[in-house]
Amino acid sequence: MPKIVDKDAMRVRIMEAAMQCYATQGFHAAKMSDIAKAAGLAKGTLYLYFKSKDQLTTALVKWIFQGIEQQIMPQREVRTLDGYMTQLRIALDASEETRVETRMFFEVLGPSFGSDEVVAEVAGFFERVGAHNTQQLEHMIRTGEVRSDIDPEATGRSIAALIDGMVTHRAMFGLGDARYRAMMETTLDMIRRGLENREV
């Protein structure tokens, strides 16, 4: 009787192995044979799931950003500015795993910013995060939680870019926890002051 393989679980196993190899060996040095070995697979089996290193890398980037999305973009709509600021705090307080993934991500992209497929995945992620912020801000403007004279679309995308810059800065330059938390609190205070409706 043939062995039943959970294909989704196998893809995750391979992507985790790829991330490990990219982090320890560097993206350009890591070979498909190294990834297969790290995943405990024959090289031929690896190619059944991913036809090339580029295809594997694109899938890995998509998988990483899906995980980040689930963390920072809850499905329920926030009703208050306090609730929104809590979401932003969660997004800013990246885990050690996310920091490792961020450093690896820049190694993957390299100076040319990677393939068209990778760029499309990253651009799509920021479009979704920006749109999510915009929807939240529009709702809070209607309820009077947020001042009505802001442009919610431009503000939503700007907040997404600001948070990305903060998380990337911490990951790439190894900021200590105390220093980063002071920066995080300053950033959150700045965003709140810019959004809050002081007329209520």
Side-chain angles (χ1 to χ4, degrees), residues 1-2 4 18 28 30-31 58 67 91 98 115 141 146 148-149 165 171 190:
M1 182 175 178
I4 298 173
H28 297 291
K31 301 179 177 63
T58 300
T98 299
S115 67
I141 289 171
V146 166
S148 60
D149 61 339
M190 179 174 62

Side-chain angles (χ1 to χ4, degrees), residues 61 82 188 195:
V61 169
D82 284 343
L188 290 169
L195 293 177

Side-chain angles (χ1 to χ4, degrees), residues 107-137:
E107 169 67 15
V108 169
L109 290 178
S112 65
F113 202 64
S115 67
D116 290 342
E117 291 80 7
V118 169
V119 171
E121 287 294 339
V122 178
F125 168 78
F126 282 108
E127 286 294 337
R128 293 189 296 276
V129 173
H132 174 76
N133 283 333
T134 298
Q135 290 171 359
Q136 304 281 45
L137 293 171

Side-chain angles (χ1 to χ4, degrees), residues 8-37:
D8 289 337
M10 182 62 76
R11 285 173 63 87
V12 169
R13 177 174 160 186
I14 292 168
M15 289 187 290
E16 287 177 338
M19 188 160 59
Q20 176 188 335
C21 290
Y22 293 165
T24 56
Q25 298 174 235
F27 171 70
H28 297 291
K31 301 179 177 63
M32 289 290 271
S33 56
D34 298 322
I35 296 168
K37 184 177 179 181

Side-chain angles (χ1 to χ4, degrees), residues 17-183:
M19 188 160 59
Q20 176 188 335
C21 290
Y22 293 165
T24 56
Q25 298 174 235
F27 171 70
H28 297 291
K31 301 179 177 63
M32 289 290 271
S33 56
D34 298 322
I35 296 168
K37 184 177 179 181
L41 300 172
K43 187 176 178 180
T45 303
L46 174 60
Y47 279 103
L48 293 176
Y49 290 87
F50 299 100
K51 301 302 182 187
S52 67
K53 187 176 172 183
D54 284 345
Q55 187 185 73
L56 170 55
T57 300
T58 300
L60 174 60
V61 169
K62 184 175 182 178
W63 180 60
I64 289 172
F65 277 92
Q66 283 175 340
I68 296 172
E69 245 179 90
Q70 290 172 2
Q71 178 184 357
I72 69 173
M73 290 170 55
Q75 295 301 311
R76 62 183 181 83
E77 189 176 64
V78 296
R79 298 184 178 277
T80 65
L81 182 56
D82 284 343
Y84 182 64
M85 297 309 300
T86 296
Q87 283 190 8
L88 297 186
R89 180 180 295 277
I90 291 169
L92 280 167
D93 196 14
S95 65
E96 177 60 30
E97 181 182 1
T98 299
R99 282 176 253 167
V100 170
E101 290 172 351
T102 299
R103 291 191 293 270
M104 184 278 300
F105 178 68
F106 277 93
E107 169 67 15
V108 169
L109 290 178
S112 65
F113 202 64
S115 67
D116 290 342
E117 291 80 7
V118 169
V119 171
E121 287 294 339
V122 178
F125 168 78
F126 282 108
E127 286 294 337
R128 293 189 296 276
V129 173
H132 174 76
N133 283 333
T134 298
Q135 290 171 359
Q136 304 281 45
L137 293 171
E138 287 174 341
H139 172 75
M140 289 185 291
I141 289 171
R142 289 193 299 270
T143 60
E145 284 280 319
V146 166
R147 46 190 275 208
S148 60
D149 61 339
I150 65 166
D151 178 336
E153 184 174 355
T155 304
R157 185 61 186 257
S158 296
I159 290 172
L162 177 59
I163 290 175
D164 173 58
M166 286 281 292
V167 171
T168 300
H169 197 79
R170 184 186 194 187
M172 298 303 291
F173 303 115
L175 298 179
D177 286 345
R179 186 179 180 191
Y180 180 74
R181 295 210 171 275
M183 292 170 60

